[in-house]
Amino acid sequence: MRTTSFFILLSIFAFQLTYAQQNHRYDPPWNIPPASSVQFTVPGINNTPDLYGDIEDPQLVIFFAGNQFMCIDELLKGFKKKYPAYQRIFAETLPPGILAKQIIGGSLTMGNLRITHKPDVYTAGKSRIAEMENYFDRTEVYAYNKLALMVPEGNPKKIHALGDLAKKNIRISMPNPAWEGIGRQIEAAYRKAGGEPLHQAIMQSKVKDNSTYLTRIHHRESPLRILYGQSDVAPVWYSEAHYQKMINHPVELVSIAEEQNIRATYMAGKLKQARHPQAAADFLDYLTSEEAKAIYNKYGFETE
């Protein structure tokens, strides 16, 4: 009897474990975590995919606009190999507006963790860097991107153009323009595709009826909402849909017509008050190198 009860309990545990794994099967981090004596990432509970590397006594601190997260592993590995003096690097890949607030305010809290590091290098879109030009003593252009639509595998709602997003049965995952630079770019694309009526339908009417969901961190939320069936379409950077396909997640990339699309310019700024000025200068040199450009090209960015 006890043996039977044990196997029943074991079966229940196995079922619950399988269900939990299925429930979080697409959860980040999608990068390869750093080597450590203890790995304790628990999907859905303890997971910080946008904080990287050595938070204690770093030799270089970089704040990347978040949608570059897929490049980080190879980029930092290549930099460390070329500049072996720098092995302790801390990086964040949060939305650029949030990182800007962190720079200006001096701190950020995530869960119970408070971070007071100031970056040596900050990367963002061209307009954001221009707004903060007084913070930098050197800036460099290093990559470009365009917009695309991410949909579930098979494209069940038959979404083929931006105009389709106005349909009442289409659930959209939309970056919030309040802190996501891409949000403003997508709004411009809506106006190109359908003028103010399309923009108002998606950003006002559908926000009110909850069929447009405004994200707080689109490079994580939008793919997850597509993968878990919470949204039917997500306007994203081309590189993000490209990457989700690279890692064999069940999504498809729908191209946006060239005349309705935009081209974003990525810039990096070396902060005037960088604690590690030489490391920052060396990183900007690496970021604009042919080796770094090849990494960005691999993940769907343009460098020319």
Side-chain angles (χ1 to χ4, degrees):
M1 188 68 175
R2 288 181 179 177
T3 302
T4 302
S5 298
F6 171 77
F7 280 110
I8 290 173
L9 289 171
L10 187 62
S11 298
I12 291 171
F13 174 77
F15 172 79
Q16 290 175 332
L17 180 61
T18 300
Y19 178 78
Q21 289 171 337
Q22 285 291 309
N23 201 35
H24 294 285
R25 63 191 180 279
Y26 298 122
D27 282 16
W30 299 311
N31 301 72
I32 299 172
S36 182
S37 59
V38 178
Q39 291 283 352
F40 195 63
T41 299
V42 183
I45 300 172
N46 275 336
N47 190 1
T48 52
D50 287 301
L51 305 180
Y52 299 80
D54 295 289
I55 197 166
E56 184 181 353
D57 193 27
Q59 297 166 296
L60 175 65
V61 177
I62 311 165
F63 286 5
F64 288 96
N67 67 296
Q68 299 166 76
F69 71 86
M70 67 286 290
C71 302
I72 301 302
D73 291 350
E74 291 186 43
L75 203 62
L76 297 187
K77 182 180 178 181
F79 175 69
K80 289 177 180 180
K81 183 176 180 180
K82 191 172 182 70
Y83 296 91
Y86 312 120
Q87 295 300 310
R88 297 184 59 82
I89 300 174
F90 175 67
E92 297 184 14
T93 55
L94 294 167
I98 299 300
L99 294 174
K101 290 182 178 181
Q102 185 179 355
I103 291 170
I104 294 166
S107 63
L108 176 139
T109 295
M110 184 181 295
N112 293 320
L113 176 67
R114 183 169 183 264
I115 301 169
T116 57
H117 285 314
K118 293 184 179 179
D120 301 300
V121 173
Y122 170 57
T123 83
K126 183 178 180 179
S127 60
R128 180 78 64 179
I129 295 293
E131 289 170 8
M132 300 175 65
E133 62 179 350
N134 291 334
Y135 283 82
F136 311 114
D137 59 19
R138 176 185 171 187
T139 58
E140 298 284 355
V141 172
Y142 63 94
Y144 305 90
N145 216 338
K146 60 185 177 182
L147 298 174
L149 298 175
M150 186 189 301
V151 298
E153 191 173 48
N155 195 2
K157 293 294 181 72
K158 307 303 178 188
I159 296 165
H160 300 293
L162 285 172
D164 294 336
L165 275 60
K167 296 176 182 177
K168 292 187 180 297
N169 68 327
I170 302 297
R171 300 169 300 165
I172 305 165
S173 182
M174 170 69 197
N176 193 324
W179 44 74
E180 299 269 33
I182 185 178
R184 296 190 295 273
Q185 305 274 25
I186 295 169
E187 286 187 299
Y190 291 153
R191 291 189 173 99
K192 284 184 179 182
E196 201 55 40
L198 179 61
H199 177 262
Q200 289 185 4
I202 296 170
M203 297 303 295
Q204 294 183 27
S205 301
K206 290 174 73 74
V207 168
K208 287 180 182 176
D209 69 19
N210 296 317
S211 58
T212 291
Y213 173 85
L214 297 178
T215 69
R216 291 186 63 84
I217 181 164
H218 91 275
H219 61 278
R220 301 297 182 185
E221 284 182 277
S222 287
L224 287 174
R225 289 186 67 82
I226 297 297
L227 291 165
Y228 290 133
Q230 297 167 326
S231 293
D232 303 307
V233 60
V236 295
W237 292 121
Y238 180 94
S239 55
E240 293 172 38
H242 175 82
Y243 176 70
Q244 292 297 322
K245 289 175 65 65
M246 276 184 70
I247 59 176
N248 296 317
H249 281 171
V251 305
E252 290 186 16
L253 186 158
V254 176
S255 297
I256 294 173
E258 199 68 32
E259 66 272 13
Q260 298 170 4
N261 217 318
I262 57 89
R263 193 176 199 231
T265 300
Y266 290 81
M267 294 187 70
K270 173 182 171 290
L271 274 83
K272 292 177 181 178
Q273 297 182 345
R275 289 189 60 193
H276 312 97
Q278 187 57 55
D282 290 341
F283 185 76
L284 259 61
D285 288 344
Y286 180 74
L287 192 60
T288 53
S289 70
E290 293 303 313
E291 182 176 313
K293 286 179 180 180
I295 293 169
Y296 275 91
N297 291 152
K298 173 181 176 180
Y299 290 103
F301 294 81
E302 299 172 357
T303 53
E304 298 293 340

